[in-house]
Amino acid sequence: MALADYLLPHEYVAAESGRVAVTNLRLIHHVPRGGAPLFREFSYGSMTGVRLSQRPRVTTVVLGALIAALSLLAEPGTTLQLVAAGLGAVAVLLGIIFGDLALVVSTVSDGGKPRRLPLRETSRREGEELTAIALAAMNGEYDFIPEPPPPPLAPPATARSVLLLPADDAARILETLGGDADALCLDLTTLVHPSRRNAARELARSAIAAAARAGLPMWVRMGLNEAEADMAACVRPGLSAVVAAAESPEDVQRLDALLGEMEGERGLRKRVRVVVQVETAAGVLALRDMLSTTPRVSAAIAATHDALDLLGRPDIRSVWAALRPPVLPETAHLRGRISAAATEAGVPVYACLATDIASDGLTEALGHDAAAWLAEGAAAARAHGCRGVVTLHPEAAEACNAIFPGSAMAVTPAAPAPSPWQPVVPSHFGIGVTRAEAAAAPVAKTNATADSNPTPSTAAPAPTVWQPVVPSHFGIGVPPRATGELDGASVDATSGAETPARGES
Amino acid sequence: MPPVRRSLLFTPANVRRFVEGVWRHGADVVVLDLEDSVAPGEKAAAREGVREAIALVGRGGSEAALRVNADAVAADCEAGVWPGLCAIVLPKAESAEQVRELDTLLSRLEAARSMAGGGVEIMPMIESAAGVRSAYEIASASARVRSFGVLGEADLTADLGIVFDDLHETDVLGYARGEVGLVARALGLTVNGRVWTPGRSTIADYGDAEALDRSMQASWEGGCRSTFCVHPAQVAAANRGLRPSESDVAMCAEAVRAYTEAHRQGLAYGVRQGVIIDAATARSALAAIGYAMECATKDAVKLLRRREMERAQEAANADSTGDAETP
């Protein structure tokens, strides 16, 4: 894994030298070890000191001393002896003057034993500059890049399949990180027993970080009543969207305000989206107003399958999956309402597919034709104008990926022109990686794996996302790009919003 | 738990024979009609009989409601709002104002006639495009609107320029039905009316027993709790179909059990036949079981009252026969 892959979506490298990178979030030491590189990271908050250290280069000094010692064996006063002694002395001197450079980092938890991070192939001047930046960063004095204005939100993009998972099920989360779904949605509501909510939040926190590293968009479904606690755990780099069963514009406003507060407190540049799950009649009626409450709203989930909630059915016979079609005909009016509201707001609608069937209950509920049932459901969802489905079943994700268009890139409108605000990254660390470059790597990877909608290899960051531009006279300039057809994809990969296809390692 | 009012049987308020005999049909509610079943020239006479009719139609355990004329609401209510009346059926509802005016009128009459305040429900009927458009405002205009969704199918099709008989083949009122039902759900009201099914099962067609049963079954599954009837065959079908069946109750009980056991084990949901039973599903299942019990109770009460009435009538007949034989 390269350093660029290790970075979080909003993280960028301000300076890098000799395998030590100073990012806007932390200090990272990168040790390539074959297929399993090692990353050591130090958050600035935990660091108590950083200094440059230089130790004599042992091999050079020993070699010089050896040559000098061997010169004693030669006939005294001969040219050979003088040359050998001179060479030995010069080597020792060089070994001392040009010794091994290292960054020595002390942290609150190291028990007084500072960590020594070797700076390979780094000049003393580069080492000093890196140290100065790290020190300033540690003290909160380094102005990495001026704080940009709030980035415009990406145009709504879609995932073909969103896999719903109980947030307290670590095994399934791990399993699905490498699965077929375009995005994951951790559930902190009905799929988690109330007594396990806190544990689920802790696990969600880790899962979001893991998904971010895997380039997988991550949503979290939370209850309106517990949104504050759920957000406290989950609003962090890597969270793409919050899903909630809102019923009124006030509900959405509250989610928006809470998210805004937490993003501000945590210095998140990427704004977390809101996905409105419609599962009640009141929600259907208010959907149009809810979707226009804030630009944060990026999608609606139509839980029209859930006839019990939406139609208020007093019996539960139709819930037995084997007795019903994937899409209930009597929900036509509701689907029409939802579709019209979403179209007006310009956001995609996701259908729920078999979200009421237990993860290991497909065959029991649907018989051996489960795969056909799921495919039929996905096809029906597409026919009804949905852009993807939310499901509990990896099998359904597979079916959806085959049925829905490969990505949202082709269907999302072109984004607005880039902001005229263009910060400049100091480029005197010639080997520094800009945020844009860091962001570009997963984009390229993502596009390369979007099999049903291959993207040109010229994929570049989206103009809708804030990105620094390095003046070209430093030789490593990143030219501002024109608004293009890849906006949705780039935005997704860099900002963590919903992505139609994800990168694979 | 809403009251059990599966069948709402219209009875012309001015036909004494019907008013006296309607208790035999077992309707949950008898709707004394002052509107379409009464000729314009007979309205005044019909009003005069309503107070007595309320007691007569309730002898078999049915509740009594009154359908008023949209253009004579005040006069009809003055004549018909008396103790024993459960609801006013308001035809051609098109605005919230109509409902609010009726609400005020009912409050005044209830206070004047020693009736519980707010006890008389308002059942608006949506019978025009304007009514569909204002459904939300109409249904939310008064706390007296506790059930909603009834479409006056014949008048609505006429207003929309649709051929009524097309309902046999196509759900030509699908939008209106969906919108009105949605409003009822959103406001937490009991849904009245019926889900569309193909065949001759409209309010005006009751000859096809199978189609009628199919209609009631679909309506129950679609969440409807009550329907208007114009014939005893519809009453029987509604009482039979608009309630949880025995197998429904068994399934619900199983679902509640699955959830309870899972919850006890610290699991978020139970699973039954592969399907997730979460708290919301378990609550719905419990409510369905409760409603089934209410229906059974209602039927038992009606049966007892009918038997009492039959015995009383037999006794009266015997007496009259005996009197005739004595001389």
Side-chain angles (χ1 to χ4, degrees):
Chain A
M1 182 196 273
L3 177 62
D5 296 327
Y6 187 69
L7 296 178
L8 297 172
H10 68 299
E11 187 176 23
Y12 62 91
V13 174
E16 185 187 13
S17 201
R19 297 177 191 162
V20 175
V22 178
T23 79
N24 56 330
L25 292 183
R26 55 192 168 163
L27 193 137
I28 301 173
H29 181 220
H30 172 214
V31 185
R33 295 194 309 185
L38 178 70
F39 291 94
R40 289 195 191 96
E41 59 185 47
F42 305 88
S43 69
Y44 299 127
S46 70
M47 287 166 55
T48 55
V50 58
R51 63 185 170 80
L52 188 67
S53 154
Q54 190 169 26
R55 285 181 179 170
R57 189 167 289 178
V58 179
T59 48
T60 314
V61 172
V62 169
L63 187 67
L66 199 62
I67 293 170
L70 286 173
S71 70
L72 297 176
L73 300 176
E75 198 176 328
T78 60
T79 311
L80 179 65
Q81 190 197 33
L82 291 175
V83 169
L87 270 176
V90 167
V92 169
L93 212 57
L94 284 175
I96 292 171
I97 294 172
F98 299 102
D100 287 334
L101 282 172
L103 208 60
V104 180
V105 180
S106 310
T107 64
V108 287
S109 57
D110 62 10
K113 265 189 74 178
R115 288 289 192 111
R116 190 178 166 81
L117 313 177
L119 296 173
R120 306 277 180 213
E121 299 165 3
T122 303
S123 71
R124 187 168 180 90
R125 181 171 157 270
E126 287 170 343
E128 283 169 352
E129 286 174 343
L130 190 74
T131 309
I133 290 178
L135 194 61
M138 184 189 85
N139 293 328
E141 294 165 354
Y142 185 73
D143 193 12
F144 280 99
I145 288 175
E147 192 65 31
L153 281 159
T158 53
R160 298 165 297 181
S161 49
V162 182
L163 192 60
L164 188 62
L165 300 161
D168 63 342
D169 193 339
R172 283 194 64 203
I173 293 171
L174 281 176
E175 203 176 297
T176 49
L177 280 172
D180 291 314
D182 283 350
L184 300 185
C185 180
L186 299 178
D187 184 53
L188 285 169
T189 64
T190 54
L191 297 180
V192 178
H193 192 271
S195 66
R196 292 183 51 78
R197 293 268 156 84
N198 283 334
R201 286 181 188 119
E202 288 302 314
L203 194 54
R205 194 198 304 262
S206 311
I208 289 165
R213 285 175 193 158
L216 197 56
M218 180 67 93
W219 302 3
V220 173
R221 186 167 80 172
M222 51 187 65
L224 285 168
N225 292 336
E226 306 208 28
E228 204 162 346
D230 291 344
M231 282 187 194
C234 298
V235 175
R236 54 187 48 252
L239 179 67
S240 299
V242 160
V243 182
E247 288 194 320
S248 69
E250 291 73 30
D251 288 343
V252 177
Q253 275 163 8
R254 185 165 157 266
L255 292 171
D256 182 35
L258 279 173
L259 282 171
E261 272 174 36
M262 294 203 187
E263 286 167 348
E265 283 168 12
R266 297 168 186 197
L268 299 184
R269 284 213 181 85
K270 188 192 86 63
R271 292 165 73 190
V272 177
R273 297 287 211 154
V274 169
V275 174
V276 176
Q277 177 159 330
V278 190
E279 61 180 30
T280 62
V284 175
L285 274 183
L287 185 61
R288 192 180 141 195
D289 293 337
M290 287 196 285
L291 295 182
S292 58
T293 301
T294 160
R296 241 185 233 285
V297 178
S298 66
I301 296 175
T304 46
H305 73 293
D306 200 341
L308 264 181
D309 285 344
L310 212 51
L311 295 176
R313 286 189 170 191
D315 75 336
I316 58 167
R317 176 176 25 226
S318 62
V319 174
W320 304 145
L323 301 177
R324 62 154 208 235
V327 177
L328 294 168
E330 53 267 46
T331 60
H333 182 77
L334 307 170
R335 280 185 269 114
R337 267 266 191 176
I338 292 169
S339 176
T343 303
E344 195 174 335
V347 302
V349 177
Y350 293 86
C352 285
L353 185 57
T355 47
D356 54 351
I357 299 177
S359 54
D360 55 356
L362 270 182
T363 307
E364 194 183 356
L366 301 171
H368 292 293
D369 290 336
W373 193 95
L374 292 171
E376 188 190 337
R382 187 182 174 189
H384 291 137
C386 294
R387 299 277 183 81
V389 304
V390 175
T391 181
L392 270 169
H393 308 278
E395 298 90 331
E398 206 175 322
C400 292
N401 291 351
I403 283 169
F404 282 93
S407 83
M409 291 177 253
V411 295
T412 46
S419 160
W421 184 86
Q422 300 289 351
V424 173
V425 176
S427 67
H428 47 274
F429 306 104
I431 50 175
V433 179
T434 67
R435 178 171 182 265
E437 286 168 345
V443 173
K445 194 171 62 170
T446 296
N447 291 337
T449 56
D451 51 2
S452 52
N453 186 10
T455 305
S457 58
T458 52
T464 48
V465 172
W466 170 83
Q467 58 175 265
V469 171
V470 178
S472 62
H473 58 270
F474 290 105
I476 53 170
V478 180
R481 60 184 289 272
T483 304
E485 70 285 1
L486 300 176
D487 297 340
S490 304
V491 167
D492 293 341
T494 54
S495 67
E498 307 91 308
T499 310
R502 66 187 184 83
E504 292 172 1
S505 56
Chain B
M1 186 74 65
V4 176
R5 291 174 178 165
R6 295 159 296 184
S7 46
L8 304 145
L9 178 61
F10 281 122
T11 301
N14 61 330
V15 183
R16 181 77 184 178
R17 183 167 55 91
F18 288 164
V19 170
E20 287 187 345
V22 73
W23 63 268
R24 296 174 201 279
H25 301 313
D28 288 342
V29 178
V30 172
V31 184
L32 292 164
D33 191 17
L34 289 174
E35 201 214 18
D36 287 352
S37 329
V38 180
E42 297 179 30
K43 302 263 183 196
R47 280 184 198 117
E48 283 176 18
V50 172
R51 185 174 182 182
E52 187 192 358
I54 290 170
L56 289 174
V57 301
R59 290 176 298 169
S62 305
E63 293 181 277
L66 178 69
R67 180 161 75 167
V68 296
N69 293 280
D71 56 358
V73 174
D76 291 347
C77 286
E78 287 284 349
V81 177
W82 294 103
L85 188 79
C86 73
I88 292 289
V89 176
L90 178 66
K92 299 180 178 57
E94 292 191 338
S95 72
E97 194 52 35
Q98 277 175 287
V99 177
R100 279 194 286 268
E101 279 175 14
L102 178 55
D103 183 321
T104 308
L105 177 63
L106 290 175
S107 296
R108 184 174 63 76
L109 291 171
E110 283 170 344
R113 296 173 181 180
S114 305
M115 298 166 70
V120 178
E121 184 179 329
I122 297 175
M123 288 186 190
M125 288 180 74
I126 302 299
E127 304 185 88
S128 65
V132 176
R133 178 70 183 82
S134 305
Y136 189 90
E137 289 73 23
I138 291 168
S140 58
S142 163
R144 289 180 190 273
V145 181
R146 297 193 275 270
S147 58
F148 191 61
V150 169
L151 300 180
E153 291 180 346
D155 285 354
L156 184 55
T157 47
D159 191 53
L160 297 174
I162 296 168
V163 177
F164 181 75
D165 283 349
D166 283 355
L167 274 170
H168 296 150
E169 307 297 329
T170 316
D171 189 10
V172 289
L173 298 178
Y175 176 79
R177 214 184 294 278
E179 194 66 9
V180 171
L182 187 63
V183 165
R185 289 266 166 259
L187 291 170
L189 308 177
T190 303
V191 178
N192 287 344
R194 270 196 263 165
V195 163
W196 177 83
T197 46
R200 306 186 70 88
S201 58
T202 63
I203 182 79
D205 295 288
Y206 42 81
D208 186 341
E210 204 179 310
L212 203 52
D213 279 338
R214 217 171 30 237
S215 166
M216 297 301 172
Q217 183 63 45
S219 300
W220 169 251
E221 289 180 359
C224 301
R225 296 289 179 93
S226 62
T227 182
F228 280 138
C229 308
V230 295
H231 190 274
Q234 291 169 322
V235 171
N239 290 352
R240 205 167 44 237
L242 294 179
R243 57 173 293 175
S245 65
E246 281 180 20
S247 63
D248 288 343
V249 172
M251 279 186 187
C252 289
E254 211 177 314
V256 172
R257 202 176 307 122
Y259 175 74
T260 311
E261 281 169 14
H263 192 72
R264 206 174 288 138
Q265 292 166 20
L267 301 172
Y269 53 84
V271 176
R272 192 267 188 197
Q273 290 184 7
V275 175
I276 289 174
I277 310 291
D278 61 10
T281 309
R283 270 197 299 273
S284 294
L286 264 182
I289 293 169
Y291 190 68
M293 291 168 77
E294 292 284 319
C295 290
T297 307
K298 177 94 180 178
D299 287 341
V301 168
K302 284 192 299 185
L303 187 65
L304 287 173
R305 297 283 295 276
R306 281 206 305 277
R307 282 185 181 161
E308 283 170 13
M309 279 296 296
E310 281 161 4
R311 276 198 293 270
Q313 290 211 332
E314 280 168 16
N317 289 342
D319 285 352
S320 63
T321 312
D323 289 346
E325 285 171 356
T326 304

